[in-house]
Amino acid sequence: MTRQPNHMDDRYVTSDKYVTLKGIHADARRHLSDVHWNYLWCGTGDEVTLRENTDAFDRYLFEAPLFTGVSNPRTETRVLDLDLSFPAFTAPFGGGESVFHPDAHLAIGRAAEAVGISQMVPVAAFHSFEEVAAASSVASVFQMTFAGDEGAVLDMIARAKDAGYRYICVTYSPIRQWRERMMEDRFSVRGEKAPSNFGEGKSDPAMLRELLEFTQPRWTWEQAARVIAKSPLPCIVKGVMSVRDAKASIDAGAVALYVSNYGARTIDRTPTTIDILPAVREAAGPDMPIILDSGIRRGSDIATALALGANAVALGRLIALGLAADGEHGVRRTLELLKREFWTTLGHLGCSSPAELNRDVLVQR
């Protein structure tokens, strides 16, 4: 006689502190002041793009097939010769991340390592990029803005290589951002400590001043291409939001494209990343690696991004929420939940691995 189970389904029984991202979001909100919450969550202008970044994902629906034979899909993938337990990086956000937790990108790196993904580290991080690299084995991409003296930029890239980074994430900052929530709050992180990556024994502070003071013309594509050609590390170009810039990035020597509107924190009323992604993929061809951020809120959003042409996503605000909720544990749990939901989505879509995601799984609303 077959024994009957005492209960049919106990998958929701757990002792974990966080069982969904909603709990992490709620704890982060409780721990942060209104000023720091606005810093985390603000966009620019009327925040049209901020809202659209997430709403755009809802315009893509899934077509879930029957009888696919898939029961336990693999989430692992390889992007830029980096092995990822699921197709995600932590994004290079910084400039005030220590208000969420004093360990900042040190905690993010340790959490990313525990879950098995790679970390992107910003030039404006609270800790120096050497300190972040020493905290884990997954600090593989260093983000820096191309501005100021070309020689100083190349010197910093060489320093990043010496610290163990494998790629440079190139960004461009034409002028200040119009962030009204931060303006109303008179937000500032001044006085915490000296800039972590600039100063005596580090990199030329003149480059940092130029990032903030706009005394020289911003770089042209010709300058960017010249530095990329001389760079001791291969370069990923971030901020690609058009076919024109995708082609220019490739012509300049980029080894990967990073589709991003910076979480709607640079200029309002720009396209959403998920809507521009298919055109960028078509322009770049099938073999160019593409990373996407801005608007990712769920594991199912990651599946949508891959179906439309991305190879991986980068996670910014969600990581900051985990950091504010519970430091390293909050970030690790955020990543675990995203990975699990991505796994669930793959299974429902009849995909045995990320490589099988394509536009056939989507129905546009």
Side-chain angles (χ1 to χ4, degrees):
M1 182 176 177
T2 302
R3 292 182 57 190
Q4 296 297 318
N6 292 329
H7 42 265
M8 292 297 293
D9 190 346
D10 63 356
R11 78 187 79 175
Y12 301 123
V13 178
T14 178
S15 60
D16 286 325
K17 181 177 181 179
Y18 299 115
V19 295
T20 69
L21 294 177
K22 290 180 180 179
I24 292 172
H25 187 285
D27 258 10
R29 184 64 188 96
R30 277 194 293 271
H31 294 164
L32 294 176
S33 67
D34 289 346
V35 169
H36 290 158
W37 183 256
N38 282 337
Y39 166 62
L40 166 59
W41 215 253
C42 75
T44 53
D46 288 321
E47 300 188 340
V48 173
T49 303
L50 181 67
R51 295 187 295 273
E52 280 292 305
N53 271 348
T54 53
D55 290 349
F57 279 91
D58 293 335
R59 294 197 282 271
Y60 295 93
L61 307 180
F62 293 123
E63 185 175 283
L66 296 173
F67 297 108
T68 63
V70 175
S71 62
N72 190 19
R74 302 185 312 277
T75 60
E76 301 87 357
T77 191
R78 188 171 174 84
V79 180
L80 291 168
D81 294 327
L82 299 170
D83 292 318
L84 308 173
S85 69
F86 73 112
F89 294 80
T90 64
F93 66 93
E97 76 280 7
S98 63
V99 303
F100 307 133
H101 191 278
D103 282 354
H105 279 279
L106 306 181
I108 293 170
R110 292 190 294 261
E113 182 178 49
V115 178
I117 66 169
S118 278
Q119 179 187 22
M120 297 184 180
V121 179
V123 67
F126 182 73
H127 300 92
S128 72
F129 60 76
E130 287 93 349
E131 291 176 295
V132 178
S136 77
S137 64
V138 298
S140 53
V141 182
F142 177 58
Q143 172 271 323
M144 59 185 301
T145 303
F146 277 13
D149 180 73
E150 293 179 26
V153 169
L154 286 166
D155 286 345
M156 182 172 258
I157 294 175
R159 187 178 144 210
K161 182 179 181 180
D162 289 343
Y165 291 86
R166 296 174 59 181
Y167 295 91
I168 296 297
C169 176
V170 176
T171 56
Y172 171 71
S173 178
I175 203 164
R176 294 188 188 279
Q177 305 89 0
W178 194 263
R179 300 175 185 170
E180 291 192 351
R181 286 203 233 181
M182 293 171 66
M183 293 161 72
E184 289 288 348
D185 289 338
R186 280 68 168 174
F187 180 84
S188 174
V189 292
R190 292 182 184 276
E192 290 190 8
K193 70 169 190 174
S196 62
N197 285 313
F198 299 91
E200 186 175 352
K202 296 181 180 179
S203 292
D204 188 350
M207 185 164 64
L208 175 62
R209 289 195 297 272
E210 182 54 33
L211 288 175
L212 302 174
E213 295 176 3
F214 308 94
T215 62
Q216 303 173 26
R218 283 320 205 213
W219 281 24
T220 63
W221 273 114
E222 289 74 20
Q223 286 177 282
R226 188 160 57 236
V227 169
I228 288 172
K230 295 177 181 177
S231 171
L233 289 175
C235 293
I236 305 159
V237 174
K238 181 179 178 180
V240 173
M241 285 297 297
S242 68
V243 168
R244 176 194 61 197
D245 282 345
K247 292 179 177 178
S249 299
I250 295 169
D251 290 344
V255 298
L257 305 180
Y258 189 154
V259 176
S260 173
N261 58 31
Y262 295 88
R265 292 169 75 86
T266 55
I267 182 171
D268 203 14
R269 297 190 177 92
T270 57
T272 68
T273 56
I274 199 65
D275 285 336
I276 202 69
L277 174 60
V280 171
R281 168 51 73 195
E282 184 176 357
D287 299 326
M288 173 63 69
I290 296 179
I291 300 165
L292 176 141
D293 73 14
S294 306
I296 301 291
R297 296 292 178 267
R298 286 190 166 277
S300 55
D301 293 340
I302 300 173
T304 299
L306 266 65
L308 289 171
N311 297 93
V313 302
L315 306 167
R317 278 192 177 94
L318 289 181
I319 299 303
L321 285 170
L323 194 63
D326 198 12
E328 180 182 338
H329 177 262
V331 176
R332 178 172 180 171
R333 192 63 183 141
T334 296
L335 293 171
E336 290 171 343
L337 289 167
L338 286 167
K339 179 180 177 181
R340 188 66 178 178
E341 188 180 7
F342 177 69
W343 174 87
T344 300
T345 305
L346 281 180
H348 279 293
L349 295 179
C351 297
S352 61
S353 72
E356 294 182 10
L357 286 165
N358 57 54
R359 296 195 68 158
D360 291 343
V361 306
L362 298 177
V363 179
Q364 192 163 3
R365 191 187 296 273

